[in-house]
Amino acid sequence: METGYEILVRGLVQGVGFRPFISRLALRHCLTGEVVNRSDGVRIVLKCDLASLKRFVDDIRTQAPPAANIKSIEFSRTDAGNYSEFTINSSLDEGDAITEVSPDIAVCHECLSDLADDPRRIDYPFVNCTNCGPRFTIIRALPYDRAATTMAPFRMCRPCASEYSDINDRRYHAQPVACNDCGPEYTLRSHGGEGEINGITAILRKIADRLAAGESVAVKSTGGYNLMCDALNETAVSDLRQRKQRDMKPFAVMFRDIVALREYCLTDDDEEDLLLSWRRPILILRQRKPLAPSVSSGLNTTGAMLPHMPLYHMLFGILQTPAVVLTSGNLSEEPIIISDTAALRDLLPLAGCVVSYNREINNRADDSVVRMGSGRTIMIRRSRGYTPQPVDLAEGAEGIFAAGAEQKNCFCIGKGRRAILSQYIGDIRNVATYDYYTETYGLFSSLFRFEPSDVACDMHPDYLPGRFAEELAGVKGLPLVRIQHHHAHAVSVMAEHQLAGKVIGVVMDGTGFGTDGNIWGSEFMIASATDFERYSHFEYFMMPGGDMAVYEPWRMALSCLFSCFGSHYDFTSLRLFRETDPVRLSTVMEMLVHRINAPLTCGAGRIFDAVSALLGLCARSSFDSEAPMRLESAVSGSTDDYYPFTVNGIVRLGDVFRELTVDIMRSEISYAVFCLQKKIAQVILSVCKSMRNDTGLNDVVLSGGVFQNRYLLEKSLYLLSMNRFSVYTNNQVPPNDGGISLGQLAVAAERRRLCV
Ligand code: ZN
Ligand code: ZN
Ligand code: FE
């Protein structure tokens, strides 16, 4: 028997250049053996002794391709057989077929230097290699092979083909490999019969000229079309805002490089690492220096990112401005546009100029949005660069489909012990988004060979994803489980951290259907993966006009004060109500007095809305989460005060509003906001302590959209940790409704496993 070792590397290793890397490493170490695909990673067999094995494993750890995500490396002695060379083999076992697909990877440094040095790739904007390039967005089927991607129509030229088949080449088995002679190319089309421009140099020149003239451009990006304009030119930005009819929602900004970004945004080391990582998300950063005022609409943060496609790197090479607005190209509320036909129809009239390329985008992927707090990642929108990387689970979830929430929807499918979340789909309230949802379900089913056996959805009776789940379960005769919204939020954290047993669940959220028929959203629960017990929550307030109160935070303000002080309170002593149309004010007051069309809510998000309106920050919301964002933006300085509250079964907020109105009279907005956020964190600590006393539980999971508020999250983490709680948060999936489907899937899996 030859001395040999078997190494098992688990994690994301397909489509990221991992096997060629192993093969080159073996050559360098002069070792023979083989590397084989498996469903959970790769198996390597090496003919070697223990010392050389250790050197080899060290090199795997330190030199693996950037986008490979190694979860573990295990090794054991084996019979190494008679290898005379090192080979890459594919698994013969069908069941072992790899089902992982890499997310899209930002262009790497070596490819960027090819733009200047590689004769066949001088200024070639689709340069890529095994370490970088499009993946998820171009894939049609598995296994990941060029023929199964939207690169299929492009025939490799001879030099590309030889790179593709040379194991020592950086482009060995790089499926989208291409060069100036054989790959995709850009075309620019202008409004008004100027015709087409081809040739990358002329196209870049034209884009630069337009941006310099204060005009906008629609550009086909990795996962869909974007609209672009100069982020320092106020006229250009407000003009784009008007054309896009984009209310006040902040625009994302792409900076030339990290140096330019630092000039406008405050960053720490963790944030810079993420900005520069191959995922290249939009990161929410505090502002250092203002861009054009219309970019962020008065918020003190900027959604910043760095170039991820070669085109953007090349463009900044000739642009005067260090920063451009880059917002998704869509009609409001509809999915981001990916087809060239739709772009010419909808974006050309809007931007006046469309830059497209002749490779199809098969799968949409919006830019991902992330922020960081206390060194932890807070996902806000999970898409390009993250999808479809799975979340590893403690138990199997094969065959479970979890439909997700109505807003910020992502659905989730179970494959073995992995949960695969769809890309961000959006608010499923119109036909276009619903179609996107059903299409994507079809795509995920075929891509990951998913056959549903169990279906999970929210308890809300009217959610469209719930209807889809009902139909799916009905047609196939499958069991359907309905899961309470905030229970799913809490379990999403348990699933990410593989927590078993019971935990203290704290969910601070906007809206979610409760088991008592009211709208929940400030939940303190004793939660397990199968069930929950509601321990406490904020007091209920009326939502006059139902959903209208979400769009018009002044209604919540009126409701909270009405509930605390009654109808005889002098509402006109507050500026908010002096400035509100008296007719509407009295209509809403009628609703409150007679309890007509006023469902009850305890959502923490609604409390933030009410305070935001009272402080004059946001009486009417023009985009999702505007009120809490403006609230968070208003904080500066610090103080040790906070508003009092009482906990007696439920959390009473009367005193909060009493003191708040006093501060408002004194116009101490920043102080009031600070006290409120700190107060909520204090409430969380206090209720958690009493839960610990009653139950002996010490693990706390924090979830819900309100925890996107960085200050609230940091303060809660700090207070809980100081009091020796073990605190867990969402890191891989959003704490908002984008992460709900993971929790739904985990609940369904555990109930199935335990037959409850
Ligand atoms: Zn590369
Ligand atoms: Zn070529
Ligand atoms: Fe929620």
Side-chain angles (χ1 to χ4, degrees), residues 120 157 160 178-179 182:
R120 285 166 37 246
C157 67
C160 279
C179 74
C182 68

Short mmCIF file of all heavy atoms in Angstrom, two decimals, residues 120 157 160 178-179 182, ligand 2:
data_model
loop_
_atom_site.label_atom_id
_atom_site.label_comp_id
_atom_site.label_asym_id
_atom_site.label_seq_id
_atom_site.Cartn_x
_atom_site.Cartn_y
_atom_site.Cartn_z
N ARG A 120 -4.61 40.32 -26.73
CA ARG A 120 -5.95 39.99 -27.20
C ARG A 120 -7.03 40.60 -26.32
O ARG A 120 -8.22 40.47 -26.58
CB ARG A 120 -6.14 38.47 -27.29
CG ARG A 120 -5.43 37.87 -28.49
CD ARG A 120 -5.31 36.37 -28.42
NE ARG A 120 -6.47 35.73 -27.82
CZ ARG A 120 -6.44 35.07 -26.66
NH1 ARG A 120 -5.32 35.00 -25.96
NH2 ARG A 120 -7.53 34.51 -26.21
N CYS A 157 -12.45 31.56 -29.75
CA CYS A 157 -11.42 31.55 -30.79
C CYS A 157 -10.33 30.56 -30.35
O CYS A 157 -10.33 30.09 -29.22
CB CYS A 157 -10.85 32.94 -31.00
SG CYS A 157 -9.91 33.55 -29.58
N CYS A 160 -8.29 31.45 -27.16
CA CYS A 160 -9.13 31.33 -25.96
C CYS A 160 -9.34 29.86 -25.63
O CYS A 160 -9.27 29.45 -24.47
CB CYS A 160 -10.48 32.01 -26.16
SG CYS A 160 -10.42 33.79 -25.90
N ALA A 178 -13.24 34.81 -22.87
CA ALA A 178 -13.50 35.53 -24.11
C ALA A 178 -12.38 36.53 -24.36
O ALA A 178 -11.61 36.83 -23.44
CB ALA A 178 -14.83 36.28 -24.02
N CYS A 179 -12.30 37.01 -25.57
CA CYS A 179 -11.33 38.06 -25.87
C CYS A 179 -11.92 38.97 -26.94
O CYS A 179 -13.03 38.75 -27.42
CB CYS A 179 -10.01 37.45 -26.33
SG CYS A 179 -10.07 36.78 -28.00
N CYS A 182 -13.47 37.14 -29.95
CA CYS A 182 -14.55 36.15 -29.94
C CYS A 182 -15.68 36.41 -28.95
O CYS A 182 -16.66 35.67 -28.96
CB CYS A 182 -13.97 34.76 -29.69
SG CYS A 182 -13.28 34.52 -28.04
ZN ZN B 2 -11.07 34.66 -27.91
#
